[in-house]
Amino acid sequence: MNLRRTIVAGLAVLLASVAGCTSGTTVTEGGDPGAGGGDKKSIALISKGFQHQFWQAVKQGAQEKADELGYQLTFEGPASETEVDAQLQMFQAAIDRKPGAIGFAALDPKACIPLMDQAKQANIPVVEFDAGCDSEVPLNISKTDSEAAGALAADHMAELIGGAGKIGIVAHSQVNSTAVERRDGFVNRMKEKYAEIEIVDTQYGDGDHLKSSDIAKSMIAAHPDLKGLYGTNEGSAIGIVNAVGELNLEQGKLTIVGFDSGKAQIDAIKSGVMAGAITQDPIGIGRSTVESAVQAIEGKTPEKVIDTGSYWYDKTNLDDPKIAKVLYQ
């Protein structure tokens, strides 16, 4: 896997340098991607995807902070969180434009290493957000403590199902560090504290709600006594919700715990189909990333790890001002 990703990264570098453009399957927002050529007042942010509302909320926070500080911002990401090659081409294109700083959220922590080295050689400071690259080049990262967030989800699942029973996990990636940490935080907490809860299966749907729905239906069919399902991101959780609807399961028969926010999850919680979810602070992540990038441009050293927090929300606290400000629709 590591060798293959290294080769992919090298090919992406070659393709981008020859073509001078990003993949046709990618989505770009936030202005002209070529506008930052050598401009120290520009910041290029490269996210993991655009298919979930989470990334639009990160973009919102980043744009707010860039406007506040007088910097030009480009914000782009591949069409889905499985398109590692497309993301690498975006990274290469950003290096070629020579912005004041680059912010990067790694889809694959290994594949990005050669491009991090290129950015360093080009004297472009790099900060990270949401998920890191296995490189010493980036100055810092703004993110959620995903293991702690996964453990929080486990605590609530355990309470909701009475501390005993069979549950499953619909995760969104085996490579993406945030997905791995959300899964492991959940699994480890269950092992440590809840001996009577059995995780019968963990499967991966790439954050795609259709794939995740099929996975959830298969798990429910294979384990008729299943008491709960945990979805590790927005698409995974909505896939579970859709599966329950398609199977016409009686409300409350299966406890669903999700991750992230978005209108569909909020509506599912309001209706009682989903018990609750963990939300991050995506706007805060965006703002913190741009602030860190500006500090790097100015020759300052940003705080190494900025934890922007995670929160449990359900029917009882949706209107709490502290929770409402970190939900996005």
Side-chain angles (χ1 to χ4, degrees):
M1 170 66 79
N2 293 349
L3 176 60
R4 185 173 71 82
R5 285 301 183 203
T6 301
I7 292 170
V8 166
L11 287 173
V13 169
L14 178 61
L15 286 170
S17 62
V18 171
C21 63
T22 59
S23 166
T25 62
T26 61
V27 182
T28 303
E29 300 253 346
D32 174 11
D39 182 3
K40 292 297 182 187
K41 294 292 286 184
S42 70
I43 299 166
L45 298 193
I46 303 157
S47 72
K48 294 194 295 192
F50 261 76
Q51 80 274 45
H52 299 141
Q53 292 167 324
F54 176 84
W55 297 113
Q56 294 302 319
V58 173
K59 175 181 178 289
Q60 178 188 334
Q63 191 65 61
E64 286 174 0
K65 180 56 75 170
D67 291 344
E68 210 175 283
L69 298 177
Y71 278 74
Q72 184 180 37
L73 179 76
T74 63
F75 189 102
E76 54 190 334
S80 78
E81 293 183 30
T82 59
E83 296 182 29
V84 176
D85 300 356
Q87 191 193 46
L88 294 174
Q89 290 183 44
M90 289 179 167
F91 195 174
Q92 178 65 60
I95 293 169
D96 293 343
R97 295 199 303 270
K98 296 183 174 59
I102 293 173
F104 188 72
L107 277 173
D108 186 312
K110 304 293 184 186
C112 48
I113 295 172
L115 292 174
M116 287 292 177
D117 294 337
Q118 273 203 36
K120 182 177 181 179
Q121 290 167 10
N123 294 316
I124 302 169
V126 179
V127 298
E128 296 179 304
F129 61 105
D130 188 67
C133 181
D134 291 348
S135 166
E136 296 299 319
V137 171
L139 298 173
N140 86 329
I141 186 166
S142 300
K143 66 171 189 172
T144 302
D145 182 338
S146 294
E147 286 199 30
L152 181 61
D155 286 335
H156 283 278
M157 174 69 86
E159 180 182 355
L160 288 161
I161 66 172
K166 296 179 179 179
I167 62 172
I169 301 172
V170 180
H172 61 285
S173 175
Q174 299 183 70
V175 176
N176 185 312
S177 64
T178 54
V180 170
E181 289 165 5
R182 292 175 195 179
R183 178 200 66 198
D184 290 353
F186 185 90
V187 170
N188 292 338
R189 180 58 61 89
M190 287 299 184
K191 287 178 179 177
E192 291 163 4
K193 289 188 65 175
Y194 308 105
E196 294 183 48
I197 294 177
E198 179 187 358
I199 298 174
V200 296
D201 200 0
T202 300
Q203 293 190 40
Y204 302 87
D206 297 329
D208 180 275
H209 69 279
L210 296 175
K211 289 183 185 177
S212 299
S213 178
D214 288 341
I215 287 169
K217 285 186 281 189
S218 295
M219 283 193 192
I220 292 166
H223 305 279
D225 53 349
L226 199 67
K227 292 183 74 172
L229 280 173
Y230 166 51
T232 63
N233 79 339
E234 184 180 342
S236 306
I238 294 308
I240 298 170
V241 168
N242 291 346
V244 166
E246 289 169 23
L247 294 173
N248 294 312
L249 292 187
E250 180 185 349
Q251 188 166 307
K253 178 176 172 58
L254 188 74
T255 296
I256 304 171
V257 169
F259 208 109
D260 292 325
S261 182
K263 186 178 187 305
Q265 283 199 90
I266 291 171
D267 288 347
I269 289 170
K270 287 179 177 178
S271 71
V273 175
M274 180 182 285
I278 304 296
T279 186
Q280 306 176 77
D281 182 2
I283 291 175
I285 290 174
R287 292 180 65 88
S288 176
T289 304
V290 168
E291 189 167 28
S292 296
V294 170
Q295 289 175 353
I297 291 168
E298 294 177 346
K300 301 172 184 174
T301 303
E303 185 180 348
K304 192 67 178 173
V305 178
I306 300 173
D307 177 10
T308 52
S310 56
Y311 311 86
W312 169 260
Y313 69 102
D314 57 22
K315 264 187 184 180
T316 68
N317 66 355
L318 276 169
D319 296 325
D320 183 321
K322 181 181 177 181
I323 297 300
K325 74 178 183 180
V326 295
L327 297 178
Y328 53 91
Q329 300 192 52

